[in-house]
Amino acid sequence: MGFDKKWAIRFLDDFADRVIENKQLLSDLDQAIGDGDHGVNMARGLTELKKVLAEKEPATLADVFKTTAMTLLSKVGGASGPLYGSAFLGMSKAVNADTLSPDTLPDVFEAGLNGIENRGKSHAGEKTMIDVWEPVINAMRQNEFTSDAIEAALQKTKDMKATKGRASYLGERSIGHLDPGAYSSALLFQALLKAEGE
Ligand code: ADP
Ligand code: MG
């Protein structure tokens, strides 16, 4: 069994659907500790991605991730556009075959995480999307990649104090709210989990 181009397109299309479905919720979360645009930003980018992938299928698996990076970079905006763009660019560079085996999947997402960290100058514990990416990739490596693991990582952002991004302006007052970027990343990994099982 392996993960090929068609699989990646299915995964990304499902991620897009989940973001579009949760657009309001993502913006509401951002309203609490940011400027309220995360759902609108992400839904705009992922609506475009669905269109781009449907119109012209990228040539290779790496190209699927590269096209995703470019589309999110140009259409999402805010802080999250460049961050997700860097993630998928990193993933595209880490793909070196037309089909990924299950044991190389964590390495590909790790490259995505490195892209976010480099772009955001950020690391785990700062109440950002990284607080989903890092624990979930670790769970993948331990063969514990489950819906509960994703949800647990997301919920942990609630009690964190933001020290990066717009939410950091709130200091202590950022505590008690889920991070919107962590929420959209949880949607990404839920879509990945579903695609893995198909
Ligand atoms: P903006 O903050 O510009 O309005 P968005 O609302 O689209 O952008 O995205 C906010 C999300 O981006 C946050 O919830 C957080 O998860 C993520 N984020 C912001 N800054 C960073 C950073 N430096 N590193 C990692 N993630 C970040
Ligand atoms: Mg925002």
Side-chain angles (χ1 to χ4, degrees), residues 26-27 30-31 33-39 41 78-80 166 180:
L26 292 170
S27 279
D30 195 32
Q31 194 64 56
I33 57 170
D35 57 356
D37 63 353
H38 189 59
N41 289 346
S80 53
R166 222 177 268 281

Side-chain angles (χ1 to χ4, degrees), residues 40-54:
V40 176
N41 289 346
M42 292 294 289
R44 182 176 53 238
L46 287 154
T47 300
E48 178 68 15
L49 180 63
K50 276 179 80 83
K51 204 169 111 203
V52 167
L53 292 177

Side-chain angles (χ1 to χ4, degrees), residues 15-31 34-47 75-78 80 84 179-181 183-184 187:
F15 171 43
D17 288 340
R18 287 168 195 255
V19 166
I20 293 162
E21 206 172 296
N22 288 282
K23 172 176 156 177
Q24 189 63 49
L25 172 60
L26 292 170
S27 279
D28 289 348
L29 291 173
D30 195 32
Q31 194 64 56
D35 57 356
D37 63 353
H38 189 59
V40 176
N41 289 346
M42 292 294 289
R44 182 176 53 238
L46 287 154
T47 300
K75 293 282 171 186
V76 175
S80 53
Y84 275 109
D179 176 63
Y183 201 105
S184 59
L187 296 176

Side-chain angles (χ1 to χ4, degrees), residues 59-188:
T60 64
L61 174 60
D63 285 341
V64 172
F65 291 145
K66 193 169 174 196
T67 297
T68 303
M70 295 312 168
T71 306
L72 298 182
L73 205 56
S74 69
K75 293 282 171 186
V76 175
S80 53
L83 291 166
Y84 275 109
S86 301
F88 281 101
L89 204 57
M91 287 163 60
S92 124
K93 287 183 185 150
V95 170
N96 50 15
D98 281 336
T99 306
L100 296 171
S101 64
D103 52 309
T104 59
L105 207 58
D107 296 335
V108 170
F109 281 85
E110 183 91 44
L113 169 61
N114 291 336
I116 298 172
E117 289 175 331
N118 289 335
R119 168 62 78 141
K121 307 207 177 349
S122 42
H123 50 81
E126 296 179 306
K127 195 184 182 92
T128 70
M129 54 178 76
I130 291 173
D131 293 305
V132 163
W133 282 71
E134 192 179 273
V136 168
I137 292 165
N138 288 337
M140 273 185 211
R141 293 200 191 284
Q142 319 277 321
N143 283 320
E144 286 163 4
F145 180 39
T146 61
S147 188
D148 286 351
I150 299 165
E151 186 60 24
L154 169 62
Q155 290 301 327
K156 276 195 184 145
T157 67
K158 195 164 186 173
D159 294 332
M160 291 180 182
K161 183 175 127 185
T163 55
K164 279 280 153 61
R166 222 177 268 281
S168 66
Y169 305 154
L170 291 182
E172 300 285 335
R173 281 184 294 133
S174 65
I175 297 171
H177 304 276
L178 291 176
D179 176 63
Y183 201 105
S184 59
S185 290
L187 296 176
L188 181 144

